[in-house]
Amino acid sequence: MQRFVLVIGAGQAGLAAAYHLARAGEPFVVVDGADRVGDSWRARYDSLTLFTPRQFSALPGLNLDGNRELYPGRDEFAGYLERYASHFEFPIRLNTRVVRLCKDDGVFNAALDDGSEIRASEVIVATGGFQQALTPAVAGHFGSGVLQLTTQTYRNPHQLPEGPVLIVGDGASGRDIAAEAAQSQSTILSTGKPRRLFPERVFGKSVWWWLNVSGVLRAPAESWIGHKLKQSDAFPDRRRSFSALAGLGVRIAPRLSGASGNKARFADGTSAAIRTVIWAVGYRDDNRWIDIPGAMAADGSVLQHGGISPVPGMFFVGRPWQRNRASALVMGAGPDAGHVVASLLHERRG
């Protein structure tokens, strides 16, 4: 068959892949199950902002307008992705979900939810690593009178009933939600593993500028620096330290150890009556639609190194720590996609 690349996912990773494929003159199509490009961002909580300032939040070939030092919001960035796709006139099929991906006789077959299929010589999976919010087993021990939300179903404080709110997970999202919930409700933030926060600005410049110019963000995952970054799981302190949150009225509690009815129990032996729980404990992949021998590990995670699958012709973009710390950020999508497209062309020639 004629060489043809299928890109699955029209988020920043898929659009970055499309950019590099178009520059290489490769025929391709991008498919996505959403109604609009950028909908994966529009589905997040209302006050979400990107980790990185605008100067580090653009894809290759098109700047993100606005103050370079400030952080783009959820809807702003979703709109940027939509403009990006339109600007480059990428071939994108929306409302098109891949329900099964297999490979027969060296050809990838993507079965779509409308009953049709797409055949491709190569495939780039750009569905990202933040697909389904995790809900731990302890959630089942709360009673029916406790409203339970996740970082995917929480939108804003207006949907919270009157009564104490427990946010479980003290990553960036958990801290953001705790800060805004505390404006109207009694709020508890249950912590997890120790985390480090680094200053937002150093000597008048964004800390991301320093991390980028120093090469720290590009340090390979298996390097000493990469190992330390993984271990610390640090993010910028945008008035989200425990002391700052406590100043907003948030009670900082240790790890959630159990639940019963409307009672939450914590690792220090204390407990609290809860009306709402918001789970902010991370995400998991849902790759059950990938039906290709050798593509998946025993635990259901994808097998890839630097975005390259052991399955010939199969590639990934947008995986956390795919190549380095930047891989989980918008600023890493372009370089990672460039590396993957170059690898695809090299593999084809080889």
Side-chain angles (χ1 to χ4, degrees), residues 152-177:
Q152 287 180 315
T153 56
Y154 170 80
R155 292 291 176 270
N156 57 61
H158 297 299
Q159 73 189 109
L160 304 178
E162 189 67 31
V165 179
L166 170 65
I167 293 94
V168 182
D170 64 327
S173 295
R175 295 184 189 220
D176 281 349
I177 294 170

Side-chain angles (χ1 to χ4, degrees), residues 17-307:
Y19 173 85
H20 287 287
L21 287 167
R23 288 194 70 188
E26 290 298 315
F28 70 94
V29 68
V30 182
V31 298
D32 195 285
D35 294 333
R36 296 169 62 189
V37 171
D39 272 357
S40 61
W41 286 91
R42 296 185 186 93
R44 305 290 296 279
Y45 58 93
D46 295 350
S47 63
L48 176 72
T49 62
L50 272 67
F51 258 18
T52 50
R54 290 185 182 89
Q55 62 182 306
F56 300 115
S57 299
L59 295 176
L62 186 67
N63 288 333
L64 181 57
D65 296 333
N67 189 318
R68 287 164 48 84
E69 300 295 324
L70 300 182
Y71 300 87
R74 178 198 74 173
D75 291 341
E76 176 189 350
F77 188 69
Y80 166 77
L81 292 181
E82 202 164 35
R83 289 193 303 276
Y84 189 86
S86 176
H87 177 81
F88 290 107
E89 299 181 329
F90 294 140
I92 298 177
R93 291 176 56 178
L94 296 170
N95 294 299
T96 303
R97 188 176 304 278
V98 177
V99 295
R100 180 172 179 259
L101 180 68
C102 61
K103 188 179 185 184
D104 299 309
D105 296 326
V107 177
F108 292 94
N109 293 282
L112 308 178
D113 54 358
D114 64 359
S116 65
E117 70 173 28
I118 297 175
R119 291 166 58 83
S121 53
E122 291 94 6
V123 63
I124 299 175
V125 178
T127 51
F130 307 101
Q131 297 168 23
Q132 292 191 345
L134 285 171
T135 302
V138 68
H141 297 287
F142 282 106
S144 59
V146 175
L147 173 66
Q148 298 194 49
L149 302 170
T150 69
T151 48
Q152 287 180 315
T153 56
Y154 170 80
R155 292 291 176 270
N156 57 61
H158 297 299
Q159 73 189 109
L160 304 178
E162 189 67 31
V165 179
L166 170 65
I167 293 94
V168 182
D170 64 327
S173 295
R175 295 184 189 220
D176 281 349
I177 294 170
E180 64 180 21
Q183 296 175 25
S184 58
Q185 310 274 31
S186 171
T187 300
I188 301 171
L189 177 64
S190 176
T191 63
K193 66 180 182 180
R195 294 181 185 273
R196 291 184 59 190
L197 274 64
F198 47 77
E200 188 176 1
R201 303 187 71 80
V202 177
F203 298 125
K205 284 190 173 290
S206 166
V207 68
W208 295 107
W209 185 90
W210 293 103
L211 292 172
N212 185 51
V213 76
S214 67
V216 168
L217 294 176
R218 296 184 297 278
E222 59 273 13
S223 68
W224 181 86
I225 293 176
H227 176 72
K228 288 297 182 183
L229 289 174
K230 274 187 175 182
Q231 205 172 41
S232 65
D233 195 20
F235 52 87
D237 180 4
R238 294 186 286 177
R239 298 175 297 281
R240 293 293 184 262
S241 67
F242 286 157
S243 59
L245 290 173
L248 296 175
V250 177
R251 171 188 162 189
I252 307 300
R255 185 181 299 274
L256 180 69
S257 61
S260 178
N262 72 334
K263 294 287 185 182
R265 297 191 302 275
F266 303 103
D268 62 355
T270 61
S271 63
I274 300 299
R275 179 64 180 88
T276 303
V277 177
I278 303 174
W279 301 104
V281 293
Y283 297 83
R284 67 176 178 85
D285 292 345
D286 183 5
N287 298 309
R288 291 171 293 180
W289 54 277
I290 299 178
D291 186 16
I292 300 175
M296 312 298 296
D299 63 359
S301 61
V302 301
L303 292 174
Q304 58 85 26
H305 182 74

